[in-house]
Structures are given as structure tokens and as C-alpha cells.
Amino acid sequence: MTPDVTVTIIVYNDADRLPRAVESVLRQTHGNIEIIISDDHSTDGTPFVAREFAARDPRVRHLRLPENSGGCSAPRNRALDVATAPYVMFLDSDDELTEDAVALLLAAHREREIDFAMGAVVRVREDSGRRTRWMPHLVAERRTVLGIESEPRLLFEHLSTSKMYARAFLDRHDLRFPEGIHYEDQLFTTQAYCLAKEFTIIPEPVYRWHIAPFAAADTASISNQRDRLDNVRDRVAVQRLIDDFLTESGHGSLREDKDYKFLKHDFRMYAGDLPYRDDPWLASFADLTIPYLDTLSPEAYARLPRPERVVLQLVRERRFPEARLAARGLGHGVAPRQVTPDADGRVHWGGTVPTDDRARRELDVTDLELDTRPFRSALFRHEITELTRGPGASVDLAVRTYDPGLRLPVGPVRASLVVAPGRRRLKVPFRLTPVRPGVFEGRVHLDLTSAPIPRHGFAGVRHPLLRIEHQGLAHSAVLLAPLSFPVLTTRIGHHSGTAPHRVTIEPENRGPGRLQIRWQPVGVTARLVRPVVRRLDRPRVRRAARLVRTVLR
């Protein structure tokens, strides 16, 4: 019997995670499927694992490429060459399909003649197990889209793996993945969006995307290898291929939306990493990106939040130390250290007024309303300037607060450091004292032995906030730490030693670079207390407990 759907699983040297991916397809509620494990010439135990699955289930086929291609495109294309079903899906070996993914997407195809169907993607963090929706606003409602021009924002959902394609649609347009380059999904998906007459979106999750943010360099996903300049080069090269396709296919009207997507998504990921890059890397990064940035539409830049426009302009001007400074805390409401007004009353980022028109436009931060925003949403910048280890699990912090909008009084300010491991919080008060207009400094002693840990323990990461109180109002914001300092790890016996934990104070080492505190239960807390609590916290147990309480009333 001809299968209804072919699911291609691409793999390279991933013998440990491949079974999870294959089993997620084998347990699909729709069973008439073909599974092609497309092995990019693995050198570990992957071929053995793939052959075992093929021997156990006739729906599984093992396809091994004669040599390693170095990317995702070739194994997907080779699988398409031999796939026999009228509908196809793609799965990476480190991810999973949800149990009814095939049934849901196939039903969308059978309801009406469409070129592909797409569903929601759930991102699963390997370190914490936390689950979030990828681009949830794009897949919130079920609908059929009649041409991408009606919803160009969908260009942000560029994953090929969240979709089921009609094989006839792919063949009719000779649509295949570009080989020899990374970020092949972006070109393939853009082409699919533009070539499709109709496609259906369903809100149900169909794909589990596993994220390993702290994976070793040799096992990190392509998107997590942003420190490699080849990564930057490939991303820019794919954008140029997309631009050429849009022009040649008559979809030039999408260029502004596609440019905005590149600035807001692709470049934004690199921008968040800039504080961790040195000048030689940044010089090479600028060499690769500036020529392309200069081709993007001014309208796309105008749609960006002002802090992101500032970072972009500083990179384009090769002002690397300032670009690193502006990139600290992107997306977390962090103010500039300094602003400068011009003769017209416009306020500009940094210590001088820009001289050329483009710089004046991009570095104009007047719209941040630094001096007029409501106090609760005011923009400050809190930095740890000195961190000293104290006795036990304590640290002494020297904190500097920048207030470029001059919102705080000329005098001492009440502040506190707040951290909440669990439902209760530890609040450590201190004072910020003015040292010059718009700059305050203070010192605070943070002793984590006094943190209110739940009796069943706490496992997780917290980033302390700095809270300011002024005229009966409160303002909380992130606290930026030095990008590197010696990690402090110690054991704490919370609750008179009955709830032991290993506590680590460290730099965040990614994103805004906040002060990071990590709790890990040990001893009896890890072996006995937390497993019992987790069992009692299961939904069925909670429902039974509520029922008992209701009966006893």
C-alpha cells in the first residue's frame, strides 16, 4: 500500500538522539506513513541505530549518503528523490513530531486543495525543560492564506520542519533545498510561501524543537554557532539569494517585509552577542554585513525599536566599543549611559551630536522619552562595577546607576536588590548616592543563605533585579554584571540544614549579561523530597486532592 505521508529524518553523528526522533514518528496516530532516515555519512553509531529501526519496522528506510555534505540540504534532497508518498514532511534528528502531527496536517490537505499546511512549533529548552511557542502570534488561529502578499509577516516563520508539503507542488516548481550553504530553510520556505497559491495554518502544535543553549561547540546547532564568521557569511549569502528570487519571481513588493525580518530576527541575534565579541571579530563581522545592510530599505529600519537602530548604526560606523555598550541589555529596557541634546532639542545616543544625516536620524533617541516616561517604565541602566566574594555564600557588589533622563532626585535614593527563588523573595535594601548629574553609586551585601527557599527545595536560575523607590512609586530593572568574573559555588544548608543546595553565582555569559544565580538541590532534598513533591504535584493528584477537599467541606 502506498503511504500517505513520507517523513524524512536527517541525521549526522547523532546516534543518541535519533531514537527519540524516529519513535516520535512511529507513534503517530496516523500510521500509514513512510519514514526515511537520511544519514549524511555519519561516522558514529548512527548507521547501526538506523538499520535497527529499519529491521524492526517495514515503514522505516535507511538512506546513507556516500560522503558527508556538511549541511541539511543534501540529505533532504536525496530523501525527496526516493520518497513515495504524495505528501512530505521534514524532521531533524534532535527534534520530535507531536503525536498527532501527521494526522492534523494531512487533514488540512484533505479538506481543500492546498500546496502545504503548517502548524505550531513548541521550543523545548534542554537545560530547564521550559516550553514556549515559536512565533505564536503567527499561528494563533486556523486559516487558509491565499498568497503570501496577504500576510507578509509570515516570512518570520521560516522553518521548513513545521510544514507538510504536497509532493506535486514541490515537483511542479522543482523546489529543493539549496546545497553547499547553511540557513537553507530560509530560502526554501520563502520560495514555498511565494510559489504557493494557497496554504493552511493550524494552531495545534506539530513540532517540538529542542534547544540546547549550552551545548558544546561541536554539537551546537547551526543557529547557536553565531561566533563563527562562516555562520555570518552563510546567513548573508542566503539573504542575497532570497532577494534575487523575490525580484526574478515578481515578488519584489515583499522586499521591505523581508528586509525588516532580516533586521529584526537575523541581525538581532548577532546584536545580542556583540558585547562578547572582540574588535577583530567585529571588524570581520562588519566587513560581511555592512555591504548588505546598505542595500536594505530605509522603511525596514524605520520599523525597528530605537535601541536596535542604535546598535545597527554604531556597527555601520565601526564604533565597536560603543556598539558593544549599546547592545548590553537589548530588549530589557536598559538606558544609554549618556545622551546629548542638539540645538533643536533632539536627544542623541552617546557623548556627541552626530554630524551626518543618517547618523543623526538613527542615533536620535528622543522617542525613548527618557525624561517624561511614567516612572514605572522609566529607563535606567544598572551596572555592577565591582564584585567581591564574601564569607560563605555571599558577595559584595558595587553598583552604578545611570539616569540619562534625570528622573531621580539630587540626593540619596532608596534601592534594593530583589531575587525570588520560588514564590517568596529576598529583598536587600541599600542606598544609591549621586556622584554627578545622572549617575549614582551604591554598595550592597547579598547573602544567599537568607534566601527563602521552599521547604521542598528549588532548582533553577534567577537573575536579581534592582528596585528603586521614589515618591511612593517603584521601578524594577535588570542588573548588568561584568562579562566575566570568577564563578562562586558553595553548598548551603537551607532550613537549618534540612534542605541542602549547591548555589552558584556567575555571569550570565549570553544575552544581556546579567548577574546569574543557580540553585541545585543536593543530598536528601534531591534524592527524596523533590521526587515526592513532583509526584504529588501531578495533575491527577492535584485533582484528587481538590475532590477530597470538596467532599470534606
Side-chain angles (χ1 to χ4, degrees), residues 213-258:
F214 304 109
D218 58 342
T219 60
S221 66
I222 299 298
S223 59
N224 278 333
Q225 296 177 13
R226 294 189 297 271
D227 59 316
R228 298 177 55 180
L229 290 169
D230 284 347
N231 183 292
V232 182
R233 186 178 293 106
D234 280 352
R235 196 182 285 268
V236 171
V238 162
Q239 298 306 309
R240 293 189 182 278
L241 291 175
I242 292 172
D243 295 342
D244 291 343
F245 168 78
L246 292 178
T247 300
E248 294 166 1
S249 64
H251 292 86
S253 62
L254 293 172
R255 182 62 195 269
E256 179 191 326
D257 291 285
K258 179 256 145 199

Side-chain angles (χ1 to χ4, degrees), residues 419-426 448 451-454 457-458 460 462 494 519:
V419 59
R423 296 181 180 179
R424 298 171 59 201
R425 65 183 183 176
L426 170 66
L448 294 174
I453 297 293
F458 174 75
R462 289 291 184 267
H494 290 291
W519 278 268

Side-chain angles (χ1 to χ4, degrees), residues 3 22-28 30-37 49-62:
V22 178
E23 287 162 3
S24 78
V25 187
L26 290 175
R27 63 173 174 262
Q28 288 295 303
H30 185 93
N32 187 24
I33 56 178
E34 173 184 55
I35 304 169
I36 300 177
I37 301 174
V49 174
R51 286 194 296 268
E52 280 216 323
F53 274 110
R56 292 206 312 256
D57 195 307
R59 296 176 296 173
V60 180
R61 300 167 61 188
H62 177 213

Side-chain angles (χ1 to χ4, degrees), residues 396-421:
D396 292 294
L397 308 176
V399 177
R400 180 176 297 146
T401 291
Y402 295 90
D403 173 24
L406 303 180
R407 305 297 304 278
L408 299 176
V410 182
V413 175
R414 293 172 57 192
S416 56
L417 207 59
V418 180
V419 59

